[in-house]
Structures are given as structure tokens and as C-alpha cells.
Amino acid sequence: MTPAAAPSASSQPDVLPEGILLRVDGLKTHFGTGNRTAKAVDGVTFSLPRGRTVAVVGESGSGKSVTSLSIMGLIAPPGRIAGGRILHRDREGRVRDLARLTNADFRHIRGPEIAMIFQEPMTSLNPLMTVGEQIGEMIALHERISRGDLRRRVVELLKKVEIPAAESRADDYPHQMSGGMRQRAMIAMALACTPQLLIADEPTTALDVTIQAQILELMRRLQADMGMSMLFITHNLGVVAEIAHEVVVMYAGRVVEQAPAETLFGRPSHPYTRALLASTPDPDRDIAADGSRRPLAAIPGFVPSITNLPPGCAFAPRCPLAAQACRESPPELTTVAPGHVARCIRMEAA
Amino acid sequence: MTIAVARDVDQAPATPLIEVRGLVKHFYAPGGRIVHAVEDVDLTIGRGRIVGLVGESGSGKTTVGRTLLRLIEPTGGRMSFDGTDVFALSAREMRQWRRRMQIIFQDPFSSLNPRLTIRAIIAEALDTRGYAKGRARLDRTVELLELVGLSADHASRYPHEFSGGQRQRIGIARALAVEPDFIVADEPVSALDVSIQAQVLNLMEDLRRRLGLTMLFISHDLSVIAYACDEIVVMYLGRVMERGSSRDVRIAPLHPYSQALIAAAPVPDPSRRRVHVPLGGDIPSPIAPPSGCVFRTRCPKALPACAETVPPLTDVGQGRFVACLRVGAGGVSL
Ligand SMILES: Nc1ncnc2c1ncn2[C@@H]1O[C@H](COP(=O)(O)OP(=O)(O)OP(=O)(O)O)[C@@H](O)[C@H]1O
Ligand SMILES: Nc1ncnc2c1ncn2[C@@H]1O[C@H](COP(=O)(O)OP(=O)(O)OP(=O)(O)O)[C@@H](O)[C@H]1O
Ligand SMILES: [Mg+2]
Ligand SMILES: [Mg+2]
């Protein structure tokens, strides 16, 4: 049994509802060819409303980074966008499909329209240049500006991300900064061209909780003050609850659920989302009054290999609700409530 | 053959299995400067108990765990293990003791030799125990694999054929091979995804119940520690700030650092979202720790006196110990 063939993506007009900055629609990003094809992203669909923070959550290898690199046009061979669209509305209100943009076009997108903080901060900061020089370079790439003004802008940005003694810190090399300071510098660099959309890939994962709390607070404030949209990638459900207005849950290269944060945590629909929440230790829930531990609701088995995905729902082999139909063809994303979608045919069975 | 005699925790002798007093570990940085990794740490671990060590990166958790096993030599202090002064043992005597204390590492990917099959990895550990070759050893290997939820078919495979959670199970099986009394688990679930982390946490609790294992569980994740441990020890810059039952420390932390750490831990519930940042700045360098209380430079409640004396870890009753000038008898904040 195969699902009805979707109309070819290019035949659809590039339209975006008002208030939506970015819509990823049926995105497929594959690596390699033939029967060794790694379907890292295989049908990712979600919308990012203007001025909101959408968190993408999923376990290691679920395709979070590949999704964000696809949006940024940074997929290099043997990787390729094998299908779907990435509709983006720019400052002028023009809607374009980023999946079909040339590298030259992307120069006007990266920086002023969409900026990204990468998962490995040390690889994206140049160890041989001061932090101030690197931020300045980013600004100078997109506008003509005098040296004096450039310096002022750099210091202003460092102050904006609450780096103390910003004037002298601008002359620090990355290794002279603590992890938390470096992450602030990375945020300053991403904000250098006041982007409409900030993609942050695990920006706090390498940090201690106390520093993480500072950075989350900063990002939340900047997002609100600048009216920016944010795509925040993390595997930590606690961080999601701290930062997100809406949540996208990924599993094995697909989106299984998108919902407003309160709904996702309060009334999750997809069995995977529910299982993820249940398996995260919560002492208030998991320790009985007599102090004994209740076993955590672990998800049996493990994530399938993306070179050998099951024909149906990728979660079916681990799902307590799976029925025969789940193993035959992948379910479609269906609407649970306005603004809430899930990819499951057995939701009512719970 | 049995895996180790299950000890009845309730009838355990009153003396704790592990007593550490005044543990100190210094390293030397370039230029001969001293790294105060661990300063004056006291620790008590009762038989069959799991004690959690929590604190920011660089607070000295791993160093404590490794010095207890003498994988690195302590600079000072004493440790009594089942009544024996372990730090006083000679290298040869230590070899006899080593099998009673094992470690589980954070990284299930690099802690297993990639060229050995699982059978060989466990056999290597069994050698220390002097297990006969052949049938008995194979039986024992299978028994250990089954104990951690794997099966006999896994024995002939190599580490790369396993998922992260399975590798961590193999690491646990290897540690259990020698029937240890005490296990240091250093961030045993930090590299694992939550769904797999839950499997391993359940396994560890199950083993504690069945084998009566005593454990020092190191993690920077407070919700993991609060769930998995009976007691919590909060460390900061090489020193113990607070110690008490898991429940007390989590629900009513007394030390300003424990309070900050708990407030900063993100909770998967947007209705419990925090409104302000509880703690500013970064952890200072252990090469030049602040005078007096090491936490005072970030403490929202610091007094001038905090710069002068190192607050001793004081018994405030009900198994609670706090190192803060502002916390008096009975845990009352002054
Ligand atoms: N350049 C590449 N070549 C081949 N496979 C790749 C490449 N980049 C990513 N992949 C694969 O794509 C899948 C998704 O990877 P991705 O980095 O997006 O995961 P993730 O969700 O970001 O995980 P993590 O939480 O570990 O960062 C993984 O199985 C990964 O091995
Ligand atoms: N071999 C060494 N030489 C010099 N300094 C060391 C050495 N080992 C550890 N340190 C230092 O001792 C301090 C404590 O380190 P330790 O690894 O015990 O911290 P930790 O609490 O386990 O941190 P993490 O959460 O990052 O694992 C750190 O400042 C560390 O840099
Ligand atoms: Mg990633
Ligand atoms: Mg450590």
C-alpha cells in the first residue's frame, strides 16, 4: 500500500499565509544514493510564525541539524535536497523557495534575513581573530561603514548580549573567554545584521545549567525586544519549556507533532511525544511518598537506522499503540486542533 | 554460580561502607601553580546507598570519584572502605582491593576497546577475578550480559555494533564482572538520549536492589541525580557546599549555591517557567579560588565576613550538612 502521490512541489505556487515567516513543506534531505541513501530528513513540515520562538526537539540523529542546515542552504554533496519546499518571506515581503535558491542568492539571505548559531561554537569562531574583529567582519560584509562606526557597533552588540566590560572584551580572542562568554559573542555575531530569523542549534547544550539559564534568559529577551523569529534546536525538553512558544517534535527524520508549548506538554498527542515526556525523570512524579523510585517509563528498543527505515511509521516498532496499518505506510500529518498537528493514526486509542 | 549475594539493606551493619575525611587533590598547572581541584571533602556512603555528586563543570566531581578508587593519587585526606584505610595501602595491596571498587565511565563510545568482542571485554575483567577459562567463564559472561538486559548472542559482537545505551550496559556488565561492593558511576547517562537514559537508570536501580550495590553517582543533571540517588552532595570549586537526603536538598535547598543550581535546572513544564536568572557570572579558576567561602563571588547573599573564613560543613540536623555562614543550627537562614 502506498500513499497517494503528492503533487510535485514545483507545480505549487509559492504562497505563505500572512504572519508566517517560514514554512518548511515536505522537506527531504538525503545523503548518498542507491540503497545506502541516508534519509536524514524525510518529510519535514512545520511553520514558523513571525515574532515567535519555535523549538525543534528530538533525539540524537533525528535530523534537527540537517533541517537547519537545509534552511541555510548549507547542504553540500553527497547531501542534497531531494524534495519539498522551504518557503521564506523576506523583508520586502517577497516569498521565495530557499530549496531552489542559488548560492549567490543566499548571500543576501544569510546574515540580514536568517542568521545561525552552530552546534559547535569553537568551529564557528576563528581562533586567530579577536571576537570584535569577527563581529566587525560580519557587519562590513553587508554594509559600507567607517572604522569608527564599526567599532561602536561592535561594542554596542557586545553590550546588547550583556558582556561586561564590552570595550576591552572586544579585543579578546575566543580562547580567552569562558564558554558562556563565547556563546554570548556568537549570539552578538549572529545579531550583527539584525536578522529576521535566528536559528540556534543547541546553543546551551555545552554549558552548565547556571550559565544555560543566563543564556536562555538573554535569548528570550532579545527575541522579544527585536521582534525576531527564532528556531531553537535542542534535545532537552526542559529547555524547550523555558524558551518555546511552539514545539516541533522530530523522530527519525520526520516531524511527528507540532503544537503550542502549553498544549505539547499538557496534552501531547503523538505516542512518541508522550513517551519522551514520560521517560524524562521528574522527581515530583517519579518518587513515591515513601521515597521509593517508580521505574521510569523507558521507551523499549532504539531509533531505527536512517539507511533502513521501516516502511510505515518509523516509531511503530517501539510504539505501544502500533497496529498493522502503522507498519504498512507512513501516516500523514493530521490536524488535532487549530495549530496542533500530529502524524499518527492511533492517537484516539490512547 | 550466583551473581553476588544479595545483601539485605535493612539489616546492614550501621557502619557506612565508605567514609572520606578531608580529601584533598591538587594538580599542577604550567608554571607550578596549584590547581585546587578538591579541597577538604568529607563524604559518607552507607551500604546499599546511592549518593549523588552534583555541581558545575570543574567543581571536582570526577577528581573525587577517581581519587576514591586511587585511579589518581590523593594529595591528602583519609578514606575508610569497609574499615580499611585505603589511601594507606601499598600498590600491591591495592591490587587486591581494586576489584571491590569499580568505575563506569561517561562515554560509552570510547570506554570499550573497539577491537575486542563483548565476550573478550568481559573476559578481561573476569581475569582479575581469577575465573577459570572455558565453560565456567562463558556461563558467567552470559549471566552478566543477561543481568544488564543483553543476551548470549551479543557476546560475539564488537562494540561498534551496539547502540549507545547497549554500550553503556556492556560497561556496567564489565564493572559488575568482579562483583564489586562499590561503584563510581561518572556521568553514566549523560551521553545518552532520554529514552535510552531511562532504560539505563532503571537498570541501575534494579541492580542496586538485587545486588545491594553501593554507588557514587556523578552527574551535572539535577533531575537525574534527584531521581536516582538517596542522598545528594553539592560541590562547588572543589568543596562540598551542602549534603543531605535527595528529597530535602531538592525541595528545600539551604545553601545559596544549591538554591541557585536547583532554580537554574530547566523543568519540562512551561507552567513552571522561571522568571529571573538566579545566578550571574562564571565559576572562578581553581588556580586562584576566592578567599573564605569559594562561592562568595557569585553569592547573592554574601556578607563581608564570607571573605574571611572558610565556612565549615556544619551538621544542621536530620542528616543535613551545610557550609554557609548564614545557615545556622536547624538550617535557619541568618
Ligand atoms: N554529511 C553527512 N553525511 C551523511 N550523513 C549525515 C551527514 N550529516 C548528517 N548525517 C546523518 O543525518 C542524520 C541526522 O543528523 P543531524 O545532525 O541532523 O541530527 P541531530 O538531530 O542534529 O542530532 P544531534 O542531537 O546529535 O545533534 C544522522 O543520522 C547523521 O548521521
Ligand atoms: N590532570 C589534571 N591536571 C590539571 N588540572 C586538572 C586535572 N584534572 C582535573 N583538573 C582540574 O581540576 C578541576 C576539577 O576537575 P574535574 O574533572 O574533577 O571536574 P568535574 O566536576 O568532574 O567537571 P565536569 O562536570 O566538567 O566533568 C578542574 O578545574 C580541572 O581543570
Ligand atoms: Mg545536531
Ligand atoms: Mg567530570
Side-chain angles (χ1 to χ4, degrees):
Chain A
M1 193 163 80
T2 47
S8 105
S10 54
S11 68
Q12 293 174 14
D14 292 348
V15 286
L16 263 187
E18 263 321 300
I20 299 294
L21 187 77
L22 183 88
R23 176 159 175 83
V24 178
D25 193 4
L27 178 68
K28 295 185 179 200
T29 306
H30 295 174
F31 293 88
T33 49
N35 57 2
R36 308 271 322 152
T37 305
K39 296 178 177 174
V41 167
D42 199 41
V44 163
T45 298
F46 68 90
S47 298
L48 179 53
R50 188 188 293 280
R52 307 281 281 176
T53 298
V54 172
V56 178
V57 67
E59 294 180 273
S60 187
S62 57
K64 306 182 295 298
S65 294
V66 170
T67 298
S68 51
L69 293 172
S70 304
I71 296 170
M72 290 296 277
L74 294 174
I75 297 295
R80 66 187 188 287
I81 293 185
R85 300 186 300 170
I86 304 170
L87 297 183
H88 172 257
R89 187 194 310 277
D90 67 15
R91 282 170 198 277
E92 277 80 50
R94 209 163 20 145
V95 175
R96 282 193 292 182
D97 180 1
L98 302 183
R100 286 183 290 157
L101 233 49
T102 64
N103 235 328
D105 292 330
F106 258 111
R107 268 204 300 267
H108 308 287
I109 299 283
R110 288 185 213 125
E113 296 285 350
I114 310 178
M116 181 161 171
I117 301 171
F118 294 90
Q119 190 163 0
E120 282 95 30
M122 277 321 257
T123 57
S124 35
L125 282 174
N126 182 340
L128 302 176
M129 279 169 76
T130 68
V131 161
E133 283 166 351
Q134 298 185 54
I135 298 172
E137 199 173 60
M138 188 65 97
I139 298 171
L141 205 63
H142 293 278
E143 59 186 285
R144 290 177 59 86
I145 185 168
S146 75
R147 283 180 68 93
D149 283 346
L150 188 60
R151 175 77 186 184
R152 266 189 294 282
R153 281 271 294 280
V154 167
V155 172
E156 217 171 86
L157 276 163
L158 291 176
K159 283 185 176 155
K160 195 168 179 166
V161 296
E162 294 162 8
I163 290 188
E167 283 87 357
S168 63
R169 282 299 193 163
D171 301 323
D172 274 4
Y173 287 90
H175 75 265
Q176 292 173 295
M177 292 184 149
S178 67
M181 284 299 156
R182 267 201 301 268
Q183 202 53 280
R184 288 174 192 270
M186 294 279 302
I187 296 171
M189 201 181 330
L191 299 182
C193 306
T194 45
Q196 301 264 85
L197 166 60
L198 176 63
I199 302 180
D201 192 355
E202 307 266 8
T204 62
T205 304
L207 305 174
D208 274 311
V209 281
T210 58
I211 310 298
Q212 168 171 281
Q214 296 170 12
I215 300 287
L216 290 178
E217 177 66 27
L218 173 71
M219 294 185 79
R220 198 157 46 205
R221 191 176 60 66
L222 290 170
Q223 184 274 325
D225 290 356
M226 299 170 62
M228 197 171 50
S229 306
M230 193 149 72
L231 191 64
F232 192 106
I233 291 167
T234 178
H235 65 275
N236 184 322
L237 284 165
V239 169
V240 172
E242 290 284 336
I243 195 97
H245 300 115
E246 293 199 22
V247 189
V248 169
V249 182
M250 285 189 67
Y251 186 78
R254 292 193 190 126
V255 168
V256 297
E257 184 161 8
Q258 174 169 10
E262 288 70 19
T263 310
L264 191 106
F265 286 94
R267 276 170 284 117
S269 280
H270 198 283
Y272 175 63
T273 311
R274 291 198 205 120
L276 209 52
L277 285 166
S279 62
T280 306
D282 177 353
D284 289 330
R285 176 194 65 200
D286 301 320
I287 298 186
D290 67 355
S292 65
R293 286 177 268 277
R294 300 195 180 99
L296 295 170
I299 308 177
F302 38 89
V303 180
S305 156
I306 53 166
T307 53
N308 188 20
L309 286 171
C313 169
F315 187 58
R318 306 173 76 186
C319 181
L321 302 179
Q324 191 50 37
C326 302
R327 299 189 186 90
E328 285 164 0
S329 63
E332 299 294 319
L333 271 180
T334 52
T335 301
V336 180
H340 184 181
V341 293
R343 198 187 282 280
C344 178
I345 56 170
R346 297 273 298 154
M347 288 181 294
E348 286 78 32
Chain B
M1 210 169 349
T2 57
I3 287 290
V5 187
R7 283 172 286 267
D8 188 337
V9 178
D10 293 334
Q11 289 176 13
T15 58
L17 184 68
I18 308 262
E19 283 225 66
V20 178
R21 290 289 168 267
L23 181 66
V24 175
K25 178 62 193 179
H26 293 165
F27 295 105
Y28 292 91
R33 290 174 304 169
I34 296 174
V35 180
H36 300 263
V38 174
E39 283 292 351
D40 197 18
V41 163
D42 292 353
L43 208 58
T44 302
I45 310 181
R47 287 164 209 274
R49 306 279 287 172
I50 303 185
V51 171
L53 204 50
V54 67
E56 283 170 284
S57 181
S59 57
K61 306 181 296 294
T62 294
T63 307
V64 166
R66 291 176 163 249
T67 33
L68 293 193
L69 302 192
R70 280 186 67 185
L71 295 172
I72 47 181
E73 288 301 323
T75 305
R78 295 163 58 80
M79 164 166 155
S80 145
F81 179 94
D82 208 3
T84 299
D85 184 355
V86 170
F87 292 171
L89 296 175
S90 71
R92 175 192 287 171
E93 291 169 313
M94 193 58 213
R95 233 168 291 145
Q96 299 303 308
W97 278 85
R98 182 128 294 156
R99 67 148 201 91
R100 298 188 59 183
M101 308 183 235
Q102 288 293 310
I103 187 162
I104 298 169
F105 296 98
Q106 163 168 7
D107 186 356
F109 297 90
S110 62
S111 64
L112 301 174
N113 185 339
R115 281 184 295 272
L116 297 183
T117 61
I118 303 316
R119 178 184 299 118
I121 285 169
I122 292 179
E124 206 173 49
L126 287 172
D127 271 340
T128 345
R129 185 84 175 94
Y131 260 94
K133 300 226 183 278
R135 191 75 223 163
R137 172 180 293 201
L138 189 62
D139 286 348
R140 174 73 182 152
T141 303
V142 170
E143 196 176 39
L144 283 161
L145 288 175
E146 284 172 354
L147 187 69
V148 298
L150 297 171
S151 71
D153 337 320
H154 291 116
S156 56
R157 299 204 209 156
Y158 291 88
H160 75 265
E161 298 175 61
F162 292 92
S163 69
Q166 288 175 315
R167 283 185 238 209
Q168 198 53 290
R169 287 167 190 271
I170 295 163
I172 294 172
R174 176 177 58 182
L176 294 175
V178 293
E179 297 175 24
D181 304 289
F182 176 53
I183 288 186
V184 172
D186 191 357
E187 307 269 8
V189 297
S190 305
L192 305 176
D193 277 315
V194 278
S195 73
I196 307 301
Q197 167 181 296
Q199 296 175 6
V200 174
L201 289 176
N202 284 346
L203 169 67
M204 290 174 70
E205 169 65 7
D206 181 50
L207 292 173
R208 183 186 71 101
R209 269 199 221 147
R210 284 160 61 192
L211 310 180
L213 286 174
T214 305
M215 218 181 297
L216 182 67
F217 191 121
I218 297 171
S219 176
H220 63 276
D221 185 334
L222 225 131
S223 55
V224 165
I225 285 278
Y227 171 75
C229 303
D230 305 306
E231 281 167 59
I232 299 183
V233 176
V234 181
M235 277 187 80
Y236 183 79
L237 212 57
R239 291 180 184 272
V240 174
M241 300 287 110
E242 175 164 5
R243 177 175 124 197
S245 82
S246 215
R247 187 188 158 76
D248 289 352
V249 174
R250 177 173 63 89
I251 292 174
L254 294 175
H255 195 287
Y257 179 62
S258 326
Q259 291 169 351
L261 207 56
I262 286 163
V267 182
D269 179 355
S271 64
R272 284 191 271 166
R273 198 179 276 187
R274 185 181 51 243
V275 279
H276 61 97
V277 178
L279 191 62
D282 288 305
I283 191 166
S285 161
I287 293 178
S291 67
C293 172
V294 286
F295 183 57
R296 71 175 165 83
T297 54
R298 294 171 83 193
C299 182
K301 296 173 183 166
L303 305 167
C306 298
E308 270 138 47
T309 45
V310 178
L313 191 63
T314 309
D315 188 345
V316 297
Q318 304 191 317
R320 218 32 180 326
F321 294 80
V322 185
C324 177
L325 285 184
R326 298 191 54 146
V327 179
V332 182
S333 201
L334 307 176

